[in-house]
Amino acid sequence: MEASIENSDSESQAESNEMEFYIVSPKKFLILFLGTFGFYTVYWFFKHWSLYKKSTNEDMWPIMRGIFSIFFTHSLFALFEMRYTKKTGEAPKSINYMATIYVVFAIGCQICTNLSDRGHGNPVTFYLSLLILPVSCWVLYKAQSLVNYSGEDEQGKSNSRITGLNYFWLALSVVFWFLVLVGLFTTPVGV
C-alpha cells in the first residue's frame, strides 16, 4: 500500500515538473488584451490548456476550456501555483482569490453586455462592461507573471514580438469596436 502511495506521489511530482504553459511578455499581453477588448482571453486560456495537455498527455479539449474559461479558471490557476512550487521549491502567494475575481467579473461583464445589447440601461450598461475589462486584465496579468516566473522567462522574451496574426486580430477588433460605438451613439430614424 505504501509503495503505491509513494509511486503515485512520484508520478504526480514528475507530471507537475513536466507541465508547460504559455509564456508571453507583459507588454505583448497588455497590448493584445486591451487591443482586442478582452477577446484575447479565449486564446490565452486555450493556449495554456493546449500546452498543458501536450506536456501531460491529459485527455481534455483545450478549445472548450478557452471558450468556457469561467468553469476552468480555478483549476488552471491551481496548476500555475503547483508549477511555481515545483520549480522554485516555495509556495507562491495564492492566486485562487484572483481566479474568483476573474470569474465574478467575467460573469458581470456578460450580464452588462447582454443588458446593453437588449437596450436596457444604455449607455450605462455598456460603460460598465468596459470598466470591468481592466480588472480582468489585472487578474490575468498577475497570473501570467507567475507563469512567466516559474517558466524561467520572467520578461517573456521568448514570446515578446507582435506577429502579423496579432496585428490582424488587433485591426479586426478596432473595426468591430468602431461599429459597436457607431451603433451605440446613433439613433434609428423616426425614433
Side-chain angles (χ1 to χ4, degrees):
M1 178 77 168
E2 283 183 35
S4 66
I5 292 172
E6 288 175 14
N7 198 15
S8 66
D9 285 344
S10 64
E11 285 175 11
S12 69
Q13 189 174 29
E15 227 176 69
S16 61
N17 285 336
E18 296 172 5
M19 286 188 294
E20 292 297 326
F21 295 106
Y22 179 55
I23 301 290
V24 63
S25 75
K27 182 179 176 183
K28 182 176 179 178
F29 173 85
L30 289 173
I31 290 169
L32 292 175
F33 185 94
L34 296 173
T36 62
F37 292 90
F39 289 123
Y40 175 65
T41 59
V42 174
Y43 179 78
W44 188 84
F45 276 98
F46 160 75
K47 195 65 175 170
H48 279 295
W49 284 115
S50 178
L51 290 172
Y52 174 76
K53 177 183 178 175
K54 185 177 178 182
S55 64
T56 63
N57 291 321
E58 192 169 320
D59 187 26
M60 69 174 71
W61 291 359
I63 189 67
M64 298 312 265
R65 289 180 183 228
I67 294 169
F68 300 107
S69 62
I70 61 169
F71 299 110
F72 302 101
T73 303
H74 285 85
S75 58
L76 183 63
F77 281 30
L79 289 169
F80 291 167
E81 287 180 356
M82 187 179 358
R83 169 128 187 254
Y84 179 91
T85 301
K86 295 298 179 187
K87 283 282 192 179
T88 65
E90 56 190 53
K93 183 177 177 184
S94 176
I95 60 172
N96 189 44
Y97 75 95
M98 291 176 31
T100 301
I101 291 170
Y102 173 78
V103 169
V104 167
F105 276 79
I107 291 169
C109 184
Q110 190 61 43
I111 289 170
C112 288
T113 301
N114 286 342
L115 288 172
S116 178
D117 288 348
R118 293 190 173 111
H120 300 293
N122 271 338
V124 174
T125 51
F126 175 75
Y127 292 134
L128 279 175
S129 68
L130 291 181
L131 289 175
I132 290 171
L133 281 175
V135 175
S136 298
C137 182
W138 173 76
V139 168
L140 297 182
Y141 180 85
K142 288 295 200 182
Q144 186 62 51
S145 297
L146 183 71
V147 170
N148 287 355
Y149 185 80
S150 66
E152 298 173 359
D153 190 0
E154 195 168 346
Q155 296 304 313
K157 291 181 181 177
S158 63
N159 185 13
S160 61
R161 191 173 68 79
I162 304 289
T163 65
L165 192 55
N166 296 146
Y167 282 118
F168 170 76
W169 287 110
L170 289 168
L172 198 60
S173 294
V174 167
V175 170
F176 172 78
W177 282 101
F178 174 75
L179 294 173
V180 167
L181 290 173
V182 166
L184 184 66
F185 293 111
T186 58
T187 55
V189 178
V191 175

